[in-house]
Structure formats: C-alpha cells, structure tokens
Amino acid sequence: MHQPNYLDPKRGYYSMPWVRLHATKSYYDMAMLAERFPEMGLTFNLVPSLLEQLEDYAGGAEDFELILSRKDTVDLSPEDKEAILTRFFQANLKTMIKPHSRYMELLQLRGIHGTRRDIESALRKFAAQDYLDLQVLFNLCWFGFSAVSEDADLKKLVRKGRYYTVEDRDFVLEKQLDIISGLLSLYRKLWEDGSIDISTSPFYHPILPLLCDTSIAQVAMPGCLLPLRPFSQPEDAVK
C-alpha cells in the first residue's frame, strides 16, 4: 500500500485525493477482510509516505477535491464549477459510476469524454442541485463494500440516489474522516492480534528504485518509455 506525497507546499493542501479516497475503499476493505478471515495470513506493506498522509488527514488536512466538496453549490465560482466538472468523475465507469443511475446521468450531461467543449457546454446546463448531487456521488462511490454494508445511513444515501441535501454531503465527508482516523489503529490491532503481518519500505517507495536507476522500470514494464537521458543517483537513495 503506497502513495506518493501529494502535498502542494505552496498552496498548503494535497493536489490529489487518492490517499483519502483509497482509504475509504481499498485500505478499509482489505483490513476488514483480514479481520474476518485471519487464516489468510496476509502481509501488508505500509509505506511511510502513505502513513504520514493518513495521519495528516486525521488531523484536518485537505485535498483540492475535498475543498471543492465542501463548498456551497449556490455560491460556486465559474472556476469551481469547471474544476468539479473536470475532476469529480475520476472513478471507474463500470464499477463505480454506472451502478449509480444519477451519477451516470450527470456524466452524460457533462459529456462522457470531458473535452473542453463538453465542459463549456455543461457549465450552461448544470444547476446547483446537479453540483450538490455530484459532490455526494463522487465521494459516496469511493466507499468500499465494507463501509456501505455496515452503515445503515450510507445504505440509505445509496438508495436515495439523487436530490441530496447539504446534510447528506456533510455526513458522507464526516464518515470518510471517521474511517481515515481509525484506519491505522485498525491495522495495529490486527497486527497485535496476530491476524496480519506488517512490512514497510523506503519512505517514498516505489520512487526510490527509479532514483537509483531509471532503467530498472523496464524490469517491471518491458518496453516502457524511458527518459532520453538516463538518471541514476544511488547516493541520494542512501541518504
């Protein structure tokens, strides 16, 4: 389990939402499966750059999509609207968008491919309720099966499907934070109970091997494109 560090040092927030969204989906689901089936004997590789960001989110950190998700859709600026239309369909079409009919409807209203022309057209079509539904559905679809199956209120929101309220949106975002805040404690408990083993890697794995030698990329991906000028700084990796 790894994520690079997405922090934008100039803006002071994370530029991408992947730590937050994968935490409520994959990372939580895997822990719950390990708790349910300890006989699997799983080993989790937890990379420090991921752990640091999870702790940061638990302490109140934000990413760009989270900032947009919290905004009042009545007062969105043109730049906010464009960013939401561009970034809030970052989900698997088959498994995460299509199961929610309203989400698929909004994608079609926006334009499947999200071209410049699509966005400009959608800006004229989307109303405040459309943006609010999109705020909810984008975050809701990133909950894994464990969170939804164990929380009756999340199930209700999935069934509701559309015409979400600000209270619905705030509940979804609070539920995300609840899961993230307890995630590392959950993995610690599983380890202490003997249900899982935990390993770790250099702080920014898997970037470190590329720092040593960019050509190593072709070991995992034969034929992949490499930089025109090979890069190798193993002494930086040692530091």
Side-chain angles (χ1 to χ4, degrees), residues 15-18 21 64-65 68 76-91 97 103 106-107 109-123 126 130-131 134-135 138 142:
S15 60
M16 295 185 181
W18 305 126
L21 298 181
F64 187 42
E65 279 80 357
L68 290 170
L76 292 173
S77 69
E79 292 77 18
D80 292 335
K81 293 177 179 179
E82 182 174 341
I84 289 173
L85 292 171
T86 301
R87 302 171 75 101
F88 276 41
F89 294 97
Q90 297 179 101
I97 296 180
Y103 202 5
L106 291 171
L107 176 59
L109 185 63
R110 191 283 309 260
I112 294 291
H113 301 293
T115 64
R116 183 70 238 167
R117 181 175 294 181
D118 287 339
I119 300 298
E120 291 173 353
S121 176
L123 287 169
F126 270 64
D130 297 324
Y131 287 107
L134 189 49
Q135 285 175 326
F138 171 61
W142 274 97

Side-chain angles (χ1 to χ4, degrees), residues 34 42 44 46 184-199:
L42 297 176
F44 290 92
L46 302 178
L184 297 186
S185 296
L186 175 58
Y187 276 92
R188 176 182 289 276
K189 180 180 183 301
L190 292 171
W191 174 69
E192 290 175 344
D193 291 345
S195 300
I196 66 171
D197 285 321
I198 292 177
S199 65

Side-chain angles (χ1 to χ4, degrees), residues 27-223:
Y27 303 152
Y28 187 63
D29 276 349
M30 289 297 293
M32 297 308 293
L33 283 172
E35 182 177 60
R36 185 178 177 186
F37 302 104
E39 66 273 15
M40 289 192 295
L42 297 176
T43 297
F44 290 92
N45 182 259
L46 302 178
V47 177
S49 62
L50 167 62
L51 303 183
E52 181 180 69
Q53 290 175 91
L54 287 172
E55 290 180 338
D56 205 13
Y57 274 109
E62 294 181 307
D63 55 66
F64 187 42
E65 279 80 357
L66 181 55
I67 293 170
L68 290 170
S69 294
R70 287 173 168 164
K71 291 200 171 188
D72 188 336
T73 57
V74 176
D75 299 322
L76 292 173
S77 69
E79 292 77 18
D80 292 335
K81 293 177 179 179
E82 182 174 341
I84 289 173
L85 292 171
T86 301
R87 302 171 75 101
F88 276 41
F89 294 97
Q90 297 179 101
N92 184 278
L93 177 63
K94 181 178 179 180
T95 62
M96 299 169 72
I97 296 180
K98 282 187 175 181
H100 302 273
S101 60
R102 171 63 167 158
Y103 202 5
M104 189 64 199
E105 175 186 312
L106 291 171
L107 176 59
Q108 292 170 330
L109 185 63
R110 191 283 309 260
I112 294 291
H113 301 293
T115 64
R116 183 70 238 167
R117 181 175 294 181
D118 287 339
I119 300 298
E120 291 173 353
S121 176
L123 287 169
R124 297 189 293 270
K125 299 174 184 176
F126 270 64
Q129 184 64 55
D130 297 324
Y131 287 107
L132 182 54
D133 282 357
L134 189 49
Q135 285 175 326
V136 174
L137 288 165
F138 171 61
N139 288 283
L140 187 60
C141 83
W142 274 97
F143 282 100
F145 55 83
S146 298
V148 175
S149 65
E150 69 189 16
D151 192 297
D153 291 321
L154 281 179
K155 284 182 183 179
K156 288 179 182 178
L157 290 180
V158 172
R159 289 196 297 266
K160 184 176 182 179
R162 61 181 64 226
Y163 302 128
Y164 292 110
T165 66
V166 171
E167 291 73 24
D168 293 334
R169 180 195 66 196
D170 292 346
F171 170 78
V172 168
L173 298 179
E174 283 298 318
K175 183 64 179 180
Q176 283 182 345
L177 182 59
D178 288 345
I179 291 176
I180 292 170
S181 297
L183 196 58
L184 297 186
S185 296
L186 175 58
Y187 276 92
R188 176 182 289 276
K189 180 180 183 301
L190 292 171
W191 174 69
E192 290 175 344
D193 291 345
S195 300
I196 66 171
D197 285 321
I198 292 177
S199 65
T200 190
S201 299
F203 199 91
Y204 290 111
H205 173 82
I207 297 171
L208 198 66
L210 299 175
L211 182 63
C212 296
D213 184 358
T214 51
S215 66
I216 201 166
Q218 290 192 330
V219 174
M221 299 177 63

